[in-house]
Amino acid sequence: MKRIYILLMLVMLVWGFNVSAIKVLVAHIDPILLTSVRIFTAGIGVLVIMAIMGLFRLPSKKEILTILSISLFNVVAHHALMGVGLLYTSGVNAGIIIGLGPLLTMVLSTILLSKKVTVFKTFGFLLGFTGVLITTLTGEDGFAGISSGDFMIFLSITAQAFSFIMISKLNPNLDPRLLTGYMLLGGSFFIFFTSLFLEGEPGQILSLLDTHLFLVFLFSALICTAFGHMVYNFAIKQVGASESAVFINFNSFFAVVGSVLFLEETLFFAHIIGLVLIIAGVLIGTGALQHLWENQKRYRKKSA
C-alpha cells in the first residue's frame, strides 16, 4: 500500500510541475496546436504501454461513441482551455484554481447524480470558492480583478469534473487506462483540426526542434499526461476514489512550488490563504477528511 501512496505523490508532483511546463511551451507555440500534439503523443504512449501489458483491444462501435462523448470534455475542452488559459494567467494562480477540481466534481455529482447535499459539502464548497476568489483577485499590484486566463482555467477543470460524471453515468466497459489512451488519441485529432481553423500555422510545431523545448514537451506529454493518468487510474482501483482524491490537494501545492522555482513567479500571502482554503474545502466538502477519520478509528479499534 505504501508503494501506491508513493506513486500517487509522484503523480501529484509531475502534474503540479506540468503547469510550469505547459506555460513554458505555450510561450513559443500556439496553445491549441501544442495541446493537440502533446495529447496525441500521450495517447500513443498509453496505447503502446497497454499493448506491452497485453491489455490492448479495439473498442466496439458503441464504445467509440462513448469515448468520443467523454473525450470532448475530458480531453478537448479540459486541455485546450488549460493551454489557452495559461497564456493569460500566472502558473501560481492556475495551480491553486486546479485544486478546486475535486470540489467541483462533488458539486456536479450532487446536482446531476442526485447525491445528498450535506452541511459539510456546503461548507466545503464555500471555503473552496472563497479560496479561489482570494487567489484570482490578487495580482502583482494587489487586488486587480479576475483575468480571462483565470476564468479559462476554471472552465477547464469544470469540463474535466463534468467528464468524471459522464464516466460514472455511461460506465464504459473498457479498462480505465485503455479508455484514457483512446480518449487522448481521439481528442487530439479534434483539437488539431480546431487549431488549423483558428491558427492555420502548423509549422509552429518546428519550435520543438529546440532541445530544451523538446525535453519539456516529452516531460509534459509522456511523464505528466500518459504516465500520470495511467498511475492515477490504477491507484483508484487499489485504494479507492476517496483516498486517491486526498492526494489531489498536493497537485496545487506542487504547481505553486513549480511556478515559483521554474517560472520565477511571485507568491503573495493571499495566494497562501487561497491555497489553504481550497485544500480545507476539498478535504471537508468531498468527505475525504471524514473518510480518513473513520479509517483511523477502525485502525485504533483493531489495534486495541
Side-chain angles (χ1 to χ4, degrees), residues 4 10 12 54 69 132 160 213 232 242 264 280:
I4 296 296
L10 181 61
M12 295 308 116
S69 299
V132 168
Q160 186 186 48
L213 287 181
Y232 188 74
S242 296
E264 298 182 353

Side-chain angles (χ1 to χ4, degrees), residues 30 32-33 191-202:
D30 170 67
I32 305 297
L33 175 63
I191 298 173
F192 177 71
F193 288 115
T194 301
S195 74
L196 292 180
F197 176 75
L198 295 176
E199 182 63 31
E201 293 184 24

Side-chain angles (χ1 to χ4, degrees), residues 221-291:
L222 297 180
I223 304 299
C224 302
T225 306
F227 169 79
H229 283 283
M230 285 184 63
V231 171
Y232 188 74
N233 289 337
F234 174 74
I236 289 176
K237 278 193 169 184
Q238 298 298 309
V239 301
S242 296
E243 270 188 70
S244 298
V246 174
F247 283 83
I248 291 291
N249 296 289
F250 291 101
N251 186 359
S252 286
F253 172 75
F254 287 125
V256 171
V257 171
S259 297
V260 173
L261 289 178
F262 305 127
L263 303 178
E264 298 182 353
E265 293 183 355
T266 304
L267 184 64
F268 294 97
F269 182 66
H271 286 138
I272 299 174
I273 294 176
L275 181 62
V276 170
L277 287 175
I278 289 174
I279 290 175
V282 170
L283 288 173
I284 295 171
T286 59
L289 194 62
Q290 183 179 355
H291 175 75

Side-chain angles (χ1 to χ4, degrees), residues 58-71 174:
L58 294 174
S60 65
K61 290 182 179 179
K62 182 180 179 181
E63 288 172 338
I64 290 175
L65 290 175
T66 300
I67 291 168
L68 291 176
S69 299
I70 298 172
S71 66
L174 283 168

Side-chain angles (χ1 to χ4, degrees), residues 17-255:
F17 285 0
N18 193 36
V19 172
S20 297
I22 295 174
K23 186 142 179 83
V24 168
L25 292 169
V26 297
H28 299 84
I29 306 169
D30 170 67
I32 305 297
L33 175 63
L34 170 71
T35 299
S36 68
V37 179
R38 183 174 64 86
I39 297 305
F40 175 79
T41 305
I44 292 295
V46 171
L47 294 180
V48 168
I49 294 173
M50 288 292 96
I52 293 173
M53 294 174 66
L55 298 174
F56 178 83
R57 72 170 176 84
L58 294 174
S60 65
K61 290 182 179 179
K62 182 180 179 181
E63 288 172 338
I64 290 175
L65 290 175
T66 300
I67 291 168
L68 291 176
S69 299
I70 298 172
S71 66
L72 282 176
F73 294 92
N74 187 276
V75 178
V76 178
H78 170 59
H79 287 283
L81 285 167
M82 180 70 68
V84 176
L86 281 167
L87 271 177
Y88 305 106
T89 189
S90 67
V92 169
N93 272 29
I96 295 174
I97 297 171
I98 288 170
L100 198 60
L103 207 54
L104 282 173
T105 304
M106 178 274 295
V107 171
L108 290 176
S109 296
T110 301
I111 297 172
L112 300 176
L113 300 179
S114 301
K115 298 219 173 163
K116 187 178 178 182
V117 180
T118 65
V119 175
F120 284 105
K121 286 183 178 181
T122 304
F123 181 58
F125 175 76
L126 290 175
L127 276 180
F129 186 70
T130 302
V132 168
L133 283 180
I134 290 174
T135 300
T136 55
L137 287 173
T138 303
E140 292 185 1
D141 300 314
F143 287 90
I146 299 174
S147 71
S148 59
D150 292 330
F151 184 62
M152 287 182 183
I153 299 297
F154 179 79
L155 290 179
S156 169
I157 60 167
T158 302
Q160 186 186 48
F162 182 71
S163 73
F164 294 153
I165 305 303
M166 291 184 68
I167 292 173
S168 178
K169 277 276 192 182
L170 298 175
N171 193 26
N173 293 321
L174 283 168
D175 181 289
R177 293 165 293 185
L178 186 59
L179 174 66
T180 298
Y182 279 128
M183 287 195 303
L184 291 171
L185 194 63
S188 68
F189 287 106
F190 186 89
I191 298 173
F192 177 71
F193 288 115
T194 301
S195 74
L196 292 180
F197 176 75
L198 295 176
E199 182 63 31
E201 293 184 24
Q204 288 185 21
I205 205 65
L206 293 177
S207 298
L208 291 179
L209 292 176
D210 177 85
T211 303
H212 174 70
L213 287 181
F214 184 64
L215 290 175
V216 173
F217 172 80
L218 288 181
F219 169 75
S220 178
L222 297 180
I223 304 299
C224 302
T225 306
F227 169 79
H229 283 283
M230 285 184 63
V231 171
Y232 188 74
N233 289 337
F234 174 74
I236 289 176
K237 278 193 169 184
Q238 298 298 309
V239 301
S242 296
E243 270 188 70
S244 298
V246 174
F247 283 83
I248 291 291
N249 296 289
F250 291 101
N251 186 359
S252 286
F253 172 75
F254 287 125

